[in-house]
């Protein structure tokens, strides 16, 4: 993300310079006020993280209570509405990830025993006595919402969070028994269209709830959670009474944040001051360019200048030079531009001849060796002018000075050079 910020600022600066440069090139001598586009942005912070971050694992336990067979009646025997209210223990494990500071996903598994007041045995049902039990396990996929991050601003260190959620999944119930632990005999009183109870019931519950989370440290939270799930009426092998069964749950546990919970941020507005500073630099540069243009205009007003007569220019060094590495006469790619410049000058001045003078540094090599090295350097430059640029050889004279002459006595390395002279 750091690279993204730098590219963003560099792009704005380059755009301002290019735009300013084009405008100034068209109107360089006009002393107008220099302006730069002002940038504006919305205060919209973007949050992001790696896919490895903001995962969590939950471990919890609590109790649940079924709400089944409410308003049940058997034939002409109007029984009291079977309350279906008995609390039993349950256990839960979950894993999930926060996609952003406000919304997350969770996969939650629940296991526990269910007890309810309505008897499975037909004779007991007619007598309105006894209770029943079963075991169940469910898995649900849930969408979570951190309310306080939405309404109170994102704060990864917030001590208290309120997290509603909603989801759906699958549930399996089995091991149906009466209060004596006996497998009951089925009856069409309880199972429409069949006289036998199923051994396993499969249902698709819809769940919703709310979680209150308390931050203990960066990696661990404690939470209390209340949830409710709605099932089909066959969940507990009964299909009478209300068409839907329900299960309410209260649980508490610990949430373990893998890698902690936090977010990186980017907001264009954070860099408005830097952009303004860059705009100011563009303004300054454009103003300097205007002043330079005015100076050039003033000098041009003094033209024509008196002609300068050059005297005693023979053997004076020209502007182009060619430098070499230690103990080498090979022309470097970076030095080829100097040979090209010299060739263009010779083509523009067909009557001129030049001297190609080779040198060597004084601190390395013997006098004899340096003399031959400087000769090879001068010949390498001459060959390039002749073979690559078509300069006539009779216009080029080579001289080798070795290390006897040091054009740059204060800079030994600079004397590994070829100098063009007239």
């Amino acid at each position: 993300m750091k690279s993204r910020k730098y590219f963003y600022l560099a792009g704005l600066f380059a755009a301002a310079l290019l735009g300013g440069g084009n405008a100034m090139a068209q109107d360089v001598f006009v002393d107008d006020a220099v302006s730069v586009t002002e940038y504006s942005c919305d205060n919209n912070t973007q949050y992001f993280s790696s896919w490895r971050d903001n995962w969590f694992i939950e471990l919890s336990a609590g109790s649940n209570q079924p709400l089944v067979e409410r308003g049940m009646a058997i034939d002409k025997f109007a029984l009291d509405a079977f309350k279906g209210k008995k609390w039993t223990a349950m256990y839960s494990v979950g894993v999930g990830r926060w996609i952003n500071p406000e919304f997350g996903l969770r996969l939650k598994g629940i296991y526990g025993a269910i007890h309810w007041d309505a008897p499975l045995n037909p004779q007991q049902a007619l007598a309105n006595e006894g209770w029943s039990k079963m075991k169940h396990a469910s898995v649900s996929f849930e969408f979570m919402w951190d309310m306080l991050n939405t309404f109170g601003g994102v704060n990864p260190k917030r001590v208290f969070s309120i997290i509603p959620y909603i989801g759906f999944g699958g549930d399996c119930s089995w091991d149906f028994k009466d209060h004596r632990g006996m497998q009951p005999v089925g009856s069409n009183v309880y199972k429409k269209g069949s006289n036998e109870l199923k051994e396993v019931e499969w249902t698709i519950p819809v769940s919703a709830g709310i979680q209150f989370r308390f931050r203990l440290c960066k990696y661990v939270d404690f939470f209390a959670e209340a949830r409710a799930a709605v099932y089909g009426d066959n969940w507990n092998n009964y299909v009478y009474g209300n068409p839907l069964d329900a299960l309410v749950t209260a649980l508490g546990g610990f949430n373990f944040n893998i890698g902690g919970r936090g977010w990186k941020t980017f907001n264009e507005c954070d860099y408005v001051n830097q952009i303004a500073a860059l705009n100011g630099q563009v303004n300054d540069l454009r103003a300097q360019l205007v002043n330079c243009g005015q100076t050039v205009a003033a000098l041009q007003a003094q033209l024509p200048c008196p002609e300068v007569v050059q005297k005693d220019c023979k053997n004076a060094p020209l502007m182009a030079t060619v430098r070499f590495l230690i103990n080498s006469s090979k022309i470097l790619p970076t030095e080829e531009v100097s040979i090209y410049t010299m060739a263009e000058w010779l083509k523009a001045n067909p009557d001129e001849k030049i001297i190609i003078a080779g040198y060597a540094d004084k601190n390395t090599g013997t006098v004899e060796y340096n003399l031959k090295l400087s000769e090879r350097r001068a010949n390498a430059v001459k060959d390039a002018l002749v073979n690559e640029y078509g300069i006539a050889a009779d216009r080029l004279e080579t001289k080798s000075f070795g290390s006897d002459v040091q054009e740059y006595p204060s800079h030994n390395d600079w004397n590994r050079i070829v100098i063009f002279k007239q």
Side-chain angles (χ1 to χ4, degrees):
M1 194 56 213
K2 290 183 179 179
S3 61
R4 179 180 172 188
K5 295 187 291 188
Y6 296 146
F7 285 138
Y8 175 76
L9 292 174
L12 289 176
F13 190 40
L17 278 175
L18 291 175
N22 291 338
M24 192 56 61
Q26 297 172 2
D27 199 13
V28 68
F29 301 115
V30 178
D31 190 12
D32 294 332
V34 182
S35 63
V36 178
T37 303
E38 295 293 333
Y39 294 94
S40 62
C41 63
D42 297 326
N43 188 18
N44 183 18
T45 301
Q46 302 175 29
Y47 295 89
F48 63 96
S49 68
S50 167
W51 66 269
R52 302 182 185 88
D53 299 334
N54 296 302
W55 289 87
F56 62 87
I57 295 175
E58 292 181 354
L59 298 175
S60 59
S63 61
N64 45 211
Q65 179 186 99
L67 302 174
V68 297
E69 307 349 304
R70 292 159 293 163
M72 175 181 174
I74 302 177
D75 292 340
K76 298 179 181 180
F77 297 91
L79 306 180
D80 270 344
F82 286 125
K83 305 293 184 183
K85 295 181 180 179
K86 282 186 178 293
W87 289 98
T88 51
M90 56 79 64
Y91 309 93
S92 174
V93 61
V95 60
R97 180 176 183 266
W98 287 98
I99 307 303
N100 57 48
E102 298 179 20
F103 299 103
L105 302 175
R106 178 175 70 176
L107 188 65
K108 191 174 185 69
I110 295 176
Y111 167 79
I114 301 296
H115 296 179
W116 67 95
D117 290 333
L120 285 170
N121 186 283
Q123 287 74 25
Q124 292 177 343
L126 293 174
N128 193 12
E129 63 180 14
W131 52 274
S132 305
K133 60 183 178 180
M134 69 179 185
K135 295 177 181 177
H136 91 114
S138 66
V139 176
S140 60
F141 183 74
E142 298 169 347
F143 300 87
M144 310 177 71
W145 172 37
D146 192 320
M147 291 179 58
L148 296 187
N149 273 351
T150 298
F151 298 115
V154 177
N155 180 8
K157 296 183 179 180
R158 181 175 280 115
V159 176
F160 175 67
S161 299
I162 302 175
I163 304 172
Y165 60 88
I166 187 170
F168 64 94
D171 185 280
C172 175
S173 52
W174 73 97
D175 197 21
F176 301 96
K177 296 180 180 179
D178 62 18
H179 67 286
R180 299 169 302 177
M182 303 293 291
Q183 287 289 141
V185 178
S187 168
N188 57 9
V189 172
Y190 295 98
K191 195 68 178 175
K192 288 184 177 179
S194 173
N195 60 358
E196 291 184 1
L197 298 173
K198 286 186 177 181
E199 293 184 0
V200 178
E201 284 283 7
W202 294 93
T203 51
I204 301 177
V206 176
S207 58
I210 189 168
Q211 184 181 93
F212 301 97
R213 182 172 293 179
F214 302 86
R215 184 177 188 271
L216 301 182
C217 66
K218 180 179 180 181
Y219 300 102
V220 182
D221 302 327
F222 171 78
F223 68 88
E225 183 175 322
R227 64 185 289 123
V230 178
Y231 303 80
D233 197 20
N234 62 314
W235 176 50
N236 65 334
N237 252 337
Y238 277 11
V239 291
Y240 275 87
N242 289 348
L244 295 175
D245 290 342
L247 180 69
V248 295
T249 303
L251 53 90
F254 294 94
N255 179 87
F256 301 94
N257 301 305
I258 302 176
R261 187 166 66 231
W263 306 91
K264 297 178 182 179
T265 61
F266 172 73
N267 191 336
E268 296 176 356
C269 294
D270 294 339
Y271 307 101
V272 168
N273 291 335
Q274 298 181 40
I275 295 172
L278 293 175
N279 286 344
Q281 294 180 29
V282 173
N283 272 332
D284 293 340
L285 292 173
R286 293 181 66 186
Q288 293 176 27
L289 187 58
V290 170
N291 293 334
C292 290
Q294 293 172 344
T295 302
V296 171
L299 293 174
Q300 288 177 339
Q302 302 176 20
L303 294 177
C305 297
E307 183 177 354
V308 178
V309 179
Q310 187 176 8
K311 298 180 180 180
D312 299 327
C313 291
K314 292 296 182 182
N315 297 325
L318 300 175
M319 293 298 293
T321 60
V322 182
R323 299 189 180 277
F324 294 85
L325 296 177
I326 187 172
N327 193 28
S328 175
S329 59
K330 182 179 179 181
I331 299 173
L332 298 171
T334 54
E335 299 298 313
E336 291 180 358
V337 65
S338 297
I339 299 176
Y340 169 81
T341 302
M342 196 68 249
E344 292 298 308
W345 185 86
L346 287 168
K347 291 176 182 179
N349 300 274
D351 297 330
E352 294 291 339
K353 297 182 179 181
I354 63 169
I355 298 172
I356 304 173
Y359 298 87
D361 72 273
K362 194 173 185 179
N363 291 347
T364 57
T366 63
V367 174
E368 294 79 7
Y369 181 84
N370 287 339
L371 185 63
K372 293 180 180 180
L373 177 60
S374 64
E375 183 179 1
R376 292 198 301 271
R377 288 171 174 170
N379 287 332
V381 174
K382 178 180 178 180
D383 291 343
L385 287 170
V386 173
N387 298 329
E388 297 180 21
Y389 298 101
I391 305 300
D394 58 2
R395 299 179 62 192
L396 308 174
E397 179 185 355
T398 61
K399 290 185 178 182
S400 55
F401 294 94
S403 56
D404 291 338
V405 177
Q406 299 288 276
E407 292 287 335
Y408 304 101
S410 300
H411 300 277
N412 178 70
D413 296 349
W414 292 10
N415 293 290
R416 301 164 190 156
I417 196 170
V418 162
I419 298 177
F420 298 104
K421 299 182 178 181
Q422 283 182 301

